[in-house]
Amino acid sequence: MTSPFNSLRCDGCGFPATEEHITRRLERLELATRFRPVHIHILFVGLAPPLPWEDDFYRAPESDGFFETFLDALGIQGPAEETDPHANRHEVNAAKLEEFQRRGYFLTYLSECPLESTVAGTEMVGESSDLISSLAPTLVKRIQFNYRPRHIVFLEKGLDPLREILARAGADELLVLDRGEPLHLPGAGDAASRDRFRAALQARTSSAATSRV
């Protein structure tokens, strides 16, 4: 039986890939590049993008919990969101992405492809240490030679083992900390954590503005 997978591995997740997988990978790259700032002030790192193509962050999804929670934690709102409750949701979210870009923010992932769409991806989710060991070297190279951010924020606690890997690469000083530990995206409705999250990011923004004076 002919294998549906290519002999080459996807450079986004490290797994053998179908033509459809590669096509989606390239489409995600194109969308992300459209909103990439010239200079990345804060690089946000998640585990992997969502499997539904419609929920990809850079597609300005009309209904997605992560998109709303993330941008709310950043204090980013669309220009018509408060004044017009009937505003087109996609247009509002596209405006939010433009503000995200204007602030020098960029979102990337340990695995640049949804884990559930990879070979044995669902098994790898349960072995987070193996997944990090496998994909971290590629992420670190992208950080050092491509993104070159001023600061890094891990959006998920499961990515904390990356701190040691960044330290070995001499990049751990870029990591934004909260009480000595990596800063994480607060859960929806957690006002105290949201305020700490915003304050930590604001401190980096203020220090960067001062350094440019």
Side-chain angles (χ1 to χ4, degrees), residues 9-197:
R9 291 177 177 267
C10 172
D11 64 350
C13 63
F15 289 96
T18 63
E19 291 184 6
E20 180 182 4
H21 179 105
I22 295 298
T23 297
R24 288 300 192 203
R25 152 78 172 151
L26 294 177
E27 289 173 340
R28 286 188 179 89
L29 281 177
E30 181 180 357
L31 285 172
T33 300
R34 185 181 307 169
F35 289 100
R36 176 171 170 166
V38 175
H39 301 291
I40 297 176
H41 180 58
I42 298 180
L43 179 70
F44 296 96
V45 181
L47 179 62
L51 179 59
W53 169 240
E54 296 76 12
D55 290 343
D56 187 83
F57 179 78
Y58 284 108
R59 289 197 76 209
E62 296 187 12
S63 177
D64 176 64
F66 169 73
F67 186 91
E68 297 296 336
T69 300
F70 184 27
L71 295 186
D72 176 68
L74 296 174
I76 294 178
Q77 293 185 322
E81 194 164 26
E82 293 184 345
T83 59
D84 183 4
H86 302 295
N88 181 281
R89 178 56 55 182
H90 180 77
E91 292 179 358
V92 168
N93 288 347
K96 290 182 180 182
L97 285 178
E98 291 174 357
E99 174 63 15
F100 186 80
Q101 178 188 35
R102 189 193 67 78
R103 294 189 186 187
Y105 295 162
F106 192 67
L107 171 66
T108 192
Y109 300 94
L110 176 64
S111 170
E112 292 191 314
C113 306
L115 296 177
E116 294 84 351
S117 67
T118 63
V119 176
T122 52
E123 287 80 0
M124 291 294 288
V125 172
E127 301 293 338
S128 58
S129 60
D130 291 343
L131 185 67
I132 290 175
S133 297
S134 173
L135 298 179
T138 299
L139 175 62
V140 170
K141 287 181 180 178
R142 285 190 276 132
I143 289 172
Q144 292 178 317
F145 302 111
N146 185 4
Y147 300 137
R148 299 179 179 273
R150 287 180 179 269
H151 303 287
I152 298 172
V153 171
F154 294 157
L155 294 180
E156 304 171 48
K157 189 173 180 59
L159 293 172
D160 285 3
L162 277 173
R163 184 178 184 180
E164 181 179 346
I165 297 172
L166 287 175
R168 292 200 296 266
D172 58 318
E173 73 278 1
L174 302 177
L175 194 61
V176 178
L177 304 179
D178 176 26
R179 302 173 185 177
E181 298 297 327
L183 184 70
H184 300 127
L185 178 67
D190 187 346
S193 295
R194 182 198 61 199
D195 291 344
R196 290 203 309 270
F197 186 81

